[in-house]
Amino acid sequence: MQKIALVLFVAAELCYYLLIAQTGIVEYFSSDLFTIIYLPIGGVIGSLLSSYIKTSNQNKIFGFLLIQLAMSFFYPNLSSLMLFILGISVGALAPLLINELKKGSSIQLGFALAIAYVLGTFLFNFDVALRGNIAIALTVLAIVSLFFIKENKSINISNSNFALASMLLWIFLDSSLFETLSRDENISIWRDGYTYEIAFFHLLGIVLAFKLQLQKNLKELFIIILFALCYFFYFLNEALILSIVYPIVISYYNVVILQTLIHKNIKTLSIYMVFIGWFASGAGLFIALEHLILFVPIIFIIFLIITINQNFIPNKEKKYA
């Protein structure tokens, strides 16, 4: 029962972040930064606060879930104070959620991501103003699941060790494209009838992340090539191909990130989530709102130059040493 409970808990919270915190609130308030800024401010505070409260992780999660549930009853009519409070709960739960994954295995992580991505994809087109019941249901599911998760820790997930800079880059590239796509009237893969394709290739991306055995440098190169293809097909307005490639890279790099973060302690996780969960994604939102997506390819060129210098030039020096 614990294995199922952990899967449902993680899946519910990931769906909540996608459907409520990331897309629901932003879209409902028409991407008005001056209005929604209270959410990420609260998120940063919550992420840092989660590691300093002196009680068990179970108690902290339960407390923040209750706050999340209370705010969900008022969704979408949230005041600035409510957005701030919701941000604190969502921000605090992010590192705590990853910390809970230490009790699971790669299979549980895979199933949790699969449920979250598939459910999130099918509910994406649901009117953001009517997602209040979804917010309540997801939070209740997370609370109920929490009671079946025991305190023991047993990390059975393969260890990855990717630099924070790489993870920030992936989140930024994803957020920039996602926020741009969701506002583009000419090409919106979620609203253009590609729901089943997106769901299927999310699942394929998860499978590839666990089954495709690549070295660290090749994984980084694989991810950046997939992102380059996503932007390439976006600029070409190729919605069908984009609905295939984009879900794969989202699922793939998120597995890689979680495999890295799951081995960090709670204080490190809190700091990482400030940069990954709020700064990088916030920068992507800014790119979309300011219509600066055309400048993003420059980042690919810089990254490729750095990658080549790090992975090929040292090898040549060793050869002639």
Side-chain angles (χ1 to χ4, degrees):
M1 187 63 189
Q2 165 158 328
K3 294 180 179 180
I4 298 175
L6 182 60
V7 168
L8 293 178
F9 167 72
V10 174
E13 272 306 292
L14 289 176
C15 274
Y16 189 97
Y17 180 80
L18 172 64
L19 296 172
I20 307 301
Q22 183 179 9
T23 60
I25 290 174
V26 173
E27 187 172 339
Y28 181 77
F29 289 102
S30 303
S31 303
D32 183 356
L33 290 177
F34 291 101
T35 301
I36 63 177
I37 190 65
Y38 297 98
L39 181 72
I41 291 175
V44 171
I45 294 174
S47 294
L48 296 175
L49 185 65
S50 63
S51 63
Y52 288 97
I53 297 177
K54 302 300 181 181
T55 186
S56 68
N57 284 339
Q58 295 282 98
N59 289 337
K60 286 189 278 189
I61 293 172
F62 181 68
F64 286 117
L65 281 175
L66 287 180
I67 296 174
Q68 178 178 292
L69 179 62
M71 294 301 101
S72 297
F73 278 106
F74 296 97
Y75 177 91
N77 300 309
L78 299 171
S79 65
S80 297
L81 178 60
M82 290 178 178
L83 286 173
F84 177 73
I85 295 173
L86 180 61
I88 290 177
S89 64
V90 172
L93 286 167
L96 293 171
L97 179 149
I98 297 174
N99 198 62
E100 286 298 290
L101 282 171
K102 294 176 180 179
K103 302 174 183 178
S105 64
S106 296
I107 294 177
Q108 288 169 274
L109 172 59
F111 272 112
L113 288 173
I115 294 172
Y117 284 134
V118 172
L119 185 60
T121 298
F122 280 99
L123 293 177
F124 186 85
N125 289 330
F126 201 85
D127 190 340
V128 295
L130 302 176
R131 293 182 186 177
N133 290 334
I134 295 176
I136 294 171
L138 290 173
T139 307
V140 170
L141 176 59
I143 292 174
V144 173
S145 300
L146 182 65
F147 287 112
F148 294 93
I149 302 175
K150 298 178 182 179
E151 285 288 349
N152 64 298
K153 293 186 178 182
S154 179
I155 303 178
N156 298 314
I157 297 177
S158 60
N159 187 17
S160 298
N161 188 23
F162 288 86
L164 176 59
S166 294
M167 294 186 285
L168 286 172
L169 174 66
W170 302 337
I171 295 289
F172 169 75
L173 293 174
D174 183 11
S175 179
S176 299
L177 184 56
F178 177 82
E179 299 293 352
T180 300
L181 271 175
S182 62
R183 292 165 176 77
D184 197 319
E185 297 180 357
N186 296 319
I187 176 173
S188 176
I189 58 177
W190 295 277
R191 297 185 175 94
D192 288 343
Y194 298 106
T195 299
Y196 291 99
E197 289 86 350
I198 293 171
F200 174 79
F201 287 104
H202 266 309
L203 296 178
L204 180 59
I206 294 172
V207 173
L208 288 176
F210 285 112
K211 296 297 183 180
L212 189 61
Q213 301 297 322
L214 296 176
Q215 294 180 352
K216 176 185 174 182
N217 294 338
L218 290 178
K219 278 188 178 181
E220 289 184 332
L221 188 59
F222 182 59
I223 291 171
I224 202 65
I225 288 174
L226 286 178
F227 267 123
L229 289 173
C230 289
Y231 277 85
F232 177 71
F233 292 124
Y234 167 73
F235 291 133
L236 292 180
N237 286 329
E238 292 289 345
L240 175 59
I241 303 177
L242 188 59
S243 68
I244 295 172
V245 180
Y246 190 33
I248 291 177
V249 68
I250 292 176
S251 297
Y252 188 94
Y253 91 78
N254 271 299
V255 171
V256 172
I257 285 181
L258 287 173
Q259 287 177 331
T260 296
L261 296 181
I262 205 169
H263 295 272
K264 309 291 183 182
N265 61 51
I266 189 65
K267 288 189 175 180
T268 303
L269 280 174
S270 298
I271 296 173
Y272 270 49
M273 292 313 299
V274 169
F275 290 98
I276 294 174
W278 300 105
F279 288 174
S281 60
L285 176 60
F286 176 79
I287 289 292
L289 295 180
E290 297 299 321
H291 306 288
L292 300 174
I293 193 73
L294 288 172
F295 293 94
V296 175
I298 298 175
I299 297 175
F300 290 115
I301 298 174
I302 296 174
F303 181 84
L304 286 173
I305 292 174
I306 294 174
T307 302
I308 291 172
N309 286 335
Q310 289 181 343
N311 299 323
F312 292 95
I313 294 179
N315 292 336
K316 291 180 178 180
E317 290 176 352
K318 289 181 180 180
K319 181 178 179 181
Y320 293 104

